[in-house]
Amino acid sequence: MKIIRNIEQLRQELDGQTSIGFVPTMGFLHEGHASLLKQARQENDIVVLSIFVNPTQFGPNEDLDRYPRDAERDQALAEAAAVDYLFYPTNETMYPLDMARVTVRSGDDVLCGASRPGHFDGVLTVVSKLFNIVRPNRAYFGLKDAQQLALIEGYIADYFVPVEIRRCPIIRETDGLAKSSRNVYLSELEREQAPGIQQALVQAKSWLDDGQPIEQVVEQTRALLQFEGTSIDYVEAVSYPALGPVTATTETILLAVAVQFQSARLIDNLLYTRGA
């Protein structure tokens, strides 16, 4: 595995490659990231992993400075996953002039976007930059960040970007908690409470299977997420991948939740296809 920090060097290394799989991350890698790298390894000749804690997707009161970082551990996981190139850019590398950014026109006023204005502008801006640098054939994203994934797919379609987006399933702990770099912030009690998020979504699927109205399912799911010492950021159902209102003709519903613990905000979701 080669560790590269310079854009031109990476482009030279990748020049002429016909099958490049790309996994963009913010580091502090876990088994969820490893699953993306595994799929990329299976489907491509070359695998590129980027690690960059992108400042433009953090709000003024969010956790940019304390976002977990562990370069040595990340490199070990990358090598174990048979990554060919690990790209480590700096802020100056990624934002040399910072004169232009991608702006989201729809789909960012619900779910995480409703309480994080500008967040997805930052996400799409850095993804655009990374795609221009790496020029991958395929890029791999987890469905845990389902809103992010839908917006990236929309960006790809709107800008005719020649990359195939590969959706990858949520990877969970044995007790059902979705893997997240922020799980390390949970206290012992919060770690015991946190699997209840996925348990609520499993129950929600059962209600949907029974034909209960989506509005009722949302409210019942909210009631299951009342953990002591926490607050609910949102429990919301939207169409997927359009991220619009659910109607009688909506085929796939995204039921997504965000719960704020004392030092960590955890998200999870259920993708539900009617009649499947």
Side-chain angles (χ1 to χ4, degrees), residues 4-228:
I4 296 178
R5 301 179 186 274
N6 179 274
I7 291 174
E8 289 308 315
Q9 181 186 354
L10 181 61
R11 283 179 168 170
Q12 290 172 10
E13 292 280 351
L14 297 177
D15 186 43
Q17 298 292 342
T18 58
S19 178
I20 300 172
F22 179 42
V23 180
T25 78
M26 293 206 300
F28 208 70
L29 305 179
H30 51 67
E31 288 88 342
H33 299 107
S35 72
L36 305 182
L37 293 168
K38 180 180 179 180
Q39 186 168 340
R41 180 76 279 164
Q42 292 170 343
E43 298 177 352
N44 302 276
D45 297 332
I46 297 295
V47 174
V48 179
L49 165 69
S50 68
I51 293 179
F52 176 62
V53 181
N54 175 40
T56 65
Q57 68 189 69
F58 287 82
N61 298 314
E62 294 183 342
D63 59 349
L64 172 60
D65 291 338
R66 58 188 292 270
Y67 189 85
R69 296 163 172 86
D70 190 335
E72 184 175 340
R73 178 172 169 270
D74 286 348
Q75 290 172 25
L77 189 150
E79 289 204 79
V83 167
D84 296 292
Y85 298 102
L86 173 52
F87 181 47
Y88 260 131
T90 63
N91 288 349
E92 292 72 24
T93 298
M94 294 302 293
Y95 294 95
L97 299 177
D98 200 17
M99 293 178 66
R101 296 190 184 184
V102 176
T103 300
V104 180
R105 289 177 58 84
S106 66
D108 65 336
D109 57 348
V110 297
L111 310 179
C112 288
S115 60
R116 304 183 71 185
H119 168 70
F120 288 112
D121 290 353
V123 170
L124 292 192
T125 295
V126 77
V127 166
S128 174
K129 289 170 177 280
L130 289 167
F131 283 174
N132 284 329
I133 293 167
V134 178
R135 301 167 187 168
N137 300 88
R138 301 174 189 87
Y140 297 78
F141 295 89
L143 275 164
K144 186 172 78 71
D145 297 304
Q147 183 179 20
Q148 171 182 282
L149 178 53
L151 291 170
I152 290 171
E153 290 177 339
Y155 161 76
I156 293 299
D158 279 337
Y159 281 83
F160 314 106
V161 182
V163 59
E164 177 187 355
I165 302 299
R166 302 287 281 152
R167 297 180 181 181
C168 302
I170 299 173
I171 303 301
R172 301 184 179 278
E173 305 283 359
T174 56
D175 58 9
L177 176 62
K179 297 273 188 179
S180 170
S181 300
R182 291 183 170 91
N183 289 348
V184 297
Y185 294 149
L186 298 174
S187 68
E188 184 176 346
L189 173 60
E190 290 172 335
R191 183 61 186 82
E192 293 176 359
Q193 295 171 321
I197 298 174
Q198 198 252 349
Q199 292 165 15
L201 291 170
V202 170
Q203 179 60 59
K205 181 181 184 303
S206 176
W207 289 326
L208 289 169
D209 287 340
D210 290 341
Q212 293 192 24
I214 188 62
E215 298 83 1
Q216 182 177 332
V217 171
V218 167
E219 290 309 310
Q220 291 173 165
T221 303
R222 178 183 294 274
L224 293 178
L225 294 172
Q226 304 290 338
F227 308 128
E228 182 180 355

